[in-house]
């Protein structure tokens, strides 16, 4: 690592970090936002100390940076024939056909969308139909899985349903009402099961304490892999 001429930039391994010095801080913190790395440090911290902090956090920084790259690479959908949409971890191609009524179904390994007139822009309505289809299937699958795992874990949820969340996969209230992010239905079965087990275990532990994770592990030994999968692929699960 070496200092940039400006003195507030530092060259890391494969990235450049901005150094923000402040008298209001006693400890340093590193941020990775939209592909940019910044390190906020107390004014007195030496360049060597900053370098060693970045070295220590190297893996974490690279991981954050690569997540950002993947997000940028996710192309905006156009909702035209040939595009793929996921359901339970499998990708199904979309086929747009003309029909009397707007409708969507999963038929012989394809999402078939019927539109009244193929020559106009149908993207907004096909998107709506796909979302509605996924929400319906998410709801029934997740309710079914919740009932199945509730028996195994010996818990009794008050209700189970779906919601639209920005950045979470589920929630469990103190009254044991469970909601899942419908988008999780695009993930592979095993991942969906993990989210169900995770929320059900919150009926026993309303936090992410070691006791909570021990319970999750008891019923779902490979939960760490699923957690990691969601961290890496979660942003792709969208329509
Ligand atoms: Zn949780």
């Amino acid at each position: 690592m070496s200092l940039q001429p400006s003195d507030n930039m530092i060259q890391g391994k494969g990235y450049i970090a901005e150094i923000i010095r402040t008298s209001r801080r006693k400890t340093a913190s590193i941020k990775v936002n939209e592909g940019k790395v910044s390190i906020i440090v107390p004014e007195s911290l030496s360049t060597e100390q900053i370098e060693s902090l970045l070295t220590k956090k190297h893996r974490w920084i690279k991981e954050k940076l690569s997540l950002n790259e993947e997000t940028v690479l996710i192309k905006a959908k156009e909702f035209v024939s040939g595009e793929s949409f996921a359901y339970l971890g499998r990708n199904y191609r979309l086929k747009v056909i003309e029909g009397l009524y707007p409708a969507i179904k999963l038929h012989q390994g394809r999402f078939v969308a019927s539109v009244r007139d193929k020559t106009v822009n149908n993207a907004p309505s096909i998107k709506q139909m796909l979302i509605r289809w996924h929400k319906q299937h998410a709801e029934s699958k997740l309710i079914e899985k919740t009932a199945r795992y509730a028996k195994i874990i010996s818990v009794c949820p008050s209700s189970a349903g779906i919601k639209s969340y920005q950045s979470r996969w589920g929630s469990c209230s103190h009254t044991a009402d469970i909601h899942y992010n419908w988008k999780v239905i695009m993930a592979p079965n095993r991942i969906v099961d993990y989210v169900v087990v995770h929320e059900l275990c919150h009926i026993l532990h309303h936090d992410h304490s070691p006791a909570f994770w021990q319970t999750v592990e008891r019923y779902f030994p490979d939960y760490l892999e699923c957690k990691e999968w969601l961290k890496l692929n979660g942003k792709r699960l969208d329509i």
Side-chain angles (χ1 to χ4, degrees), residues 198-199 202 207-208 212:
H198 180 119
E199 295 311 331
H202 275 317
D207 51 21
H208 292 120
F212 165 78

Side-chain angles (χ1 to χ4, degrees), residues 115-159:
V115 296
R116 296 279 283 279
D117 180 358
K118 269 174 75 170
T119 61
V120 300
N121 175 22
N122 293 295
S125 65
I126 295 174
K127 180 177 179 170
Q128 277 316 307
M129 289 195 290
L130 273 165
I131 291 175
R132 209 178 311 137
W133 188 96
H134 277 80
K135 281 184 175 174
Q136 279 166 2
H137 286 77
E139 188 161 39
S140 59
K141 276 272 172 219
L142 285 159
I143 288 174
E144 185 191 306
K145 284 176 189 293
T146 303
R148 174 151 47 94
Y149 279 106
K151 265 191 206 150
I152 296 170
I153 305 171
S154 297
V155 287
C156 196
S158 309
S159 70

